[in-house]
Amino acid sequence: MTVRFTVFGTALGAGGLAWRSAPSATAVVVRSLLPERDAERVRATFATDLPGAVEDDPPAEVTSVIERVAALFRGEPVDLSAVPLDLAAVPAFPRRVYEVVLAVPAGRTVTYGEVAARLGEPGAARAVGRALGANRFAPIVPCHRVLAANGGLGGFSAPGGVATKQRLLALERARAEQPGLFEL
């Protein structure tokens, strides 16, 4: 199955979404990208991350995901937790982290330690951070909603770094200094 991608406009810049679909099967998201300044940077990232991927018009179910992602970047409350993701290549621990983080609603935050505790591994906060640093599905897997233990922003490896994380939280009207607003 060929991986396909599209570049789309958002309030924050050019976003990108890649998917795979078989005939008569629902498309699954293979990669999503936070907005970049321009579309060429998005295309370059896909060329590096997904060699052989083809730019294409998205099918209806992918268009629906794109519309919801764009709404998130306009500050609208959006639930992306049911978006089908291709997690086949994601190791078990990060996959479990993503499942927990997918349950954190817009406008709420948790800490890396709270995610680790939810996984039954209370000493694994750094491992949670590494898993989220490798997140290939931002903002669908909303790693920006996970904060440091002191309520600070912690790290953020996406383009724009911590400033991007702060901007996403502001769009969702989440307060970075109040982790634990979501009961796990």
Side-chain angles (χ1 to χ4, degrees), residues 89-114:
V90 178
F93 183 79
R95 188 178 307 172
R96 291 175 50 221
V97 169
Y98 297 173
E99 288 170 4
V100 170
V101 174
L102 278 164
V104 180
R108 303 289 180 95
T109 60
V110 294
T111 66
Y112 296 101
E114 287 170 327

Side-chain angles (χ1 to χ4, degrees), residues 10 65-78 171:
T10 77
V65 173
I66 291 167
E67 289 169 354
R68 288 182 281 156
V69 168
L72 178 76
F73 295 135
R74 289 191 303 270
E76 298 173 23
V78 178
L171 280 171

Side-chain angles (χ1 to χ4, degrees), residues 106-169:
R108 303 289 180 95
T109 60
V110 294
T111 66
Y112 296 101
E114 287 170 327
V115 172
R118 174 70 176 183
L119 295 171
E121 301 190 36
R126 288 184 192 270
V128 168
R130 283 190 298 276
L132 293 174
N135 178 12
R136 297 174 56 84
F137 304 102
I140 297 167
V141 174
C143 51
H144 62 279
R145 297 179 189 153
V146 184
L147 307 176
N150 64 0
L153 293 172
F156 199 61
S157 58
V162 174
T164 297
K165 185 174 191 172
Q166 191 168 32
R167 187 166 187 187
L168 293 172
L169 290 171

